[in-house]
Amino acid sequence: MERILTNLKLVTMEPEHGYQIIDNAMVIIRQGKISYAGPQQANWQDTVDSQADIVDCKQAMVTPGLIDCHTHLVFAGNRANEFEQRLNGVPYEDIAKAGGGILSTVRATRAATEDELFALASERLAGLKRDGVTTIEIKSGYGLTTEDELKMLRVARRIGEQADIKVSTTLLAAHALPPEYAGRSDDYITLVCDEIIPAAAKENLADSVDVFCEGIGFSTAQSARVFAAAKAHGLMIKGHTEQLSNLGGSALAASMGATSVDHIEYLDEAGVEALAAHNTVATLLPGAFYFLRETQQPPITQLREKGVPMAISTDFNPGTSPIASLRTMMNMACTFFRLTPEECLRGVTAHAAQALGLSEQCGQIRTGMAADLALWNLDSPAELSYRMGVPDLIARVVDGNVFYQPKNQ
């Protein structure tokens, strides 16, 4: 089916053109792909199918559909009580010793059924959809057994079967050390490499594999083992790196072909050089920076100077960033990290697509790309980062299908 979007303001995000705002534009969609995007032609009606669905966008601003390239959307339980405890002065170490922290989420997730996890994740996803998100990455990492990690990934795949959202899945079994492996982290990494990764690959449940490379997570040597196993099974790799300290995980991941490294507050010059050399995306997670009240900022100036692509994501998770709003992340990236609104929009479109290995499929508005778009009641793209909470979204378009935003949401 052919669908024509007319009378719109187009923000293409092609790499060589900055914003490239085209007034009085149109988009022609055939079989879910963009066949034309540009100035509205005077005789356009003579070149399209007479049965085409024509949508008058009434001067709406149209951007690529937004992409949330780092989330932990699938889990059970919540940690609001721990949030309250910390604010009342209880140290996190005490909370963890009492069974809190990530392991509380692990227990709840292990106990939940796939249907329960799907229902919980769908509620969280609704917030991201309201911000114009059309593609989302979902990680596992709260199961920490073969059975439970695959359960989480099956839920993520099921979410992606919905017509109005696309999902990229990431196996994050190397997220934390499960209690049954206390003091045996190398043995657990062996389980990840020899059993969990092969099982996920065999069932086609994961697109990528991630590792939390950190002092409280896993070492660079252990991370290298996981990356090698992932690549041996044809999976992309990415890393949670340099969030709390500088272990060199970003440089390692980049050298092994990672599509992205995420958090990177403690990234050093050598790490920046490695990202630039390998065209690895630096994914900024300002929600976690905010929620944890961090003060160490990512090296934005150095990343800019070296031309490292920067993505922005919510890092939606129960412990450090329970915020289902990508536009809020854009505002935080501007206010905390001093990114420009254009950098932020690129960070949730073209660069986010690159972080997921999807640069040839989405994140820009150009011929041959998937027709994944967001229609906004806005005058300029800077407004996407400027204000929060106002229902500016008119509709999302996924593979050419229009999903209008309900007026009461």
Side-chain angles (χ1 to χ4, degrees):
M1 177 182 178
E2 190 171 58
R3 178 166 282 117
I4 320 295
L5 309 183
T6 66
N7 191 23
L8 55 89
K9 178 183 291 187
L10 195 62
V11 186
T12 68
M13 301 313 295
E14 291 190 59
E16 65 271 26
H17 296 299
Y19 277 142
Q20 194 188 17
I21 300 171
I22 304 173
D23 290 313
N24 192 30
M26 66 184 299
V27 177
I28 300 176
I29 302 168
R30 294 190 176 103
Q31 296 182 333
K33 304 285 187 183
I34 297 169
S35 64
Y36 173 81
Q40 191 159 307
Q41 304 296 323
N43 63 341
W44 66 269
Q45 289 172 311
D46 299 331
T47 65
V48 300
D49 190 325
S50 61
Q51 301 300 312
D53 177 34
I54 299 173
V55 180
D56 183 351
C57 295
K58 300 178 181 178
Q59 282 300 300
M61 186 182 78
V62 177
T63 68
L66 304 192
I67 300 168
D68 196 352
C69 63
H70 179 132
T71 84
H72 304 253
L73 203 71
V74 175
F75 62 87
N78 74 65
R79 283 147 62 184
N81 61 323
E82 297 176 18
F83 174 67
E84 184 174 28
Q85 285 178 294
R86 289 199 306 273
L87 291 174
N88 281 312
V90 180
Y92 178 78
E93 292 78 7
D94 292 350
I95 295 172
K97 288 177 182 178
I102 188 173
L103 293 182
S104 68
T105 302
V106 170
R107 286 194 300 274
T109 302
R110 287 178 175 181
T113 67
E114 288 187 23
D115 285 345
E116 289 168 339
L117 291 173
F118 178 82
L120 290 167
S122 296
E123 290 178 359
R124 300 159 188 152
L125 180 60
L128 296 174
K129 290 179 180 179
R130 284 194 291 269
D131 272 6
V133 172
T134 55
T135 296
I136 182 173
E137 185 253 22
I138 300 177
K139 302 181 190 294
S140 65
Y142 293 118
L144 308 185
T145 67
T146 303
E147 177 184 354
D148 291 302
E149 288 292 298
L150 298 186
K151 175 177 70 175
M152 294 182 69
L153 292 173
R154 280 193 291 269
V155 172
R157 283 287 194 228
R158 180 175 165 189
I159 291 170
E161 293 171 359
Q162 299 173 90
D164 69 337
I165 195 71
K166 294 179 176 178
V167 173
S168 177
T169 57
T170 298
L171 173 66
L172 182 56
H175 189 196
L177 190 64
E180 55 268 27
Y181 278 85
R184 298 188 295 128
S185 61
D186 282 335
D187 290 343
Y188 180 63
I189 291 299
T190 297
L191 175 73
V192 172
C193 294
D194 293 354
E195 182 175 316
I196 301 180
I197 289 175
K202 182 179 180 180
E203 295 189 33
N204 191 30
L205 291 176
D207 301 308
S208 301
V209 172
D210 196 351
V211 182
F212 184 33
C213 181
E214 189 53 75
I216 61 171
F218 299 96
S219 70
T220 52
Q222 292 168 331
S223 299
R225 290 177 59 194
V226 174
F227 291 151
K231 294 179 67 175
H233 286 85
L235 302 175
M236 294 181 288
I237 61 173
K238 52 180 67 251
H240 278 61
T241 55
E242 271 71 66
Q243 180 184 9
L244 305 173
S245 63
N246 179 24
L247 296 186
S250 297
L252 168 71
S255 71
M256 295 186 70
T259 57
S260 75
V261 292
D262 304 21
H263 286 292
I264 64 163
E265 282 88 342
Y266 285 82
L267 186 69
D268 62 9
E269 184 175 352
V272 174
E273 294 280 359
L275 300 191
H278 296 281
N279 196 29
T280 302
V281 176
T283 301
L284 310 176
L285 304 175
F289 179 90
Y290 155 81
F291 203 76
L292 293 173
R293 297 189 293 178
E294 296 286 357
T295 57
Q296 176 75 27
Q297 296 196 4
I300 302 299
T301 299
Q302 292 90 334
L303 292 168
R304 278 198 192 111
E305 290 174 349
K306 296 298 181 180
V308 176
M310 292 181 283
I312 299 167
S313 188
T314 62
D315 188 21
F316 186 93
N317 73 78
T320 62
S321 188
I323 308 169
S325 172
L326 192 53
R327 284 186 64 187
T328 298
M329 298 303 115
M330 295 170 71
N331 180 272
M332 286 182 176
C334 289
T335 55
F336 291 144
F337 302 154
R338 296 296 186 265
L339 265 66
T340 68
E342 181 184 340
E343 287 174 321
C344 287
L345 183 53
R346 194 168 298 284
V348 297
T349 55
H351 289 167
Q354 183 180 342
L356 298 178
L358 299 176
S359 290
E360 298 305 312
Q361 300 176 41
C362 57
Q364 300 175 48
I365 302 176
R366 59 179 172 85
T367 300
M369 303 288 275
D372 297 344
L373 312 168
L375 280 63
W376 306 95
N377 183 27
L378 295 171
D379 294 322
S380 74
E383 292 180 73
L384 289 167
S385 298
Y386 165 67
R387 67 184 184 188
M388 300 176 286
V390 179
D392 300 310
L393 183 70
I394 298 170
R396 295 176 306 119
V397 181
V398 181
D399 285 334
N401 298 307
V402 183
F403 299 91
Y404 288 97
Q405 184 65 14
K407 296 298 184 182
N408 62 353
Q409 294 186 16

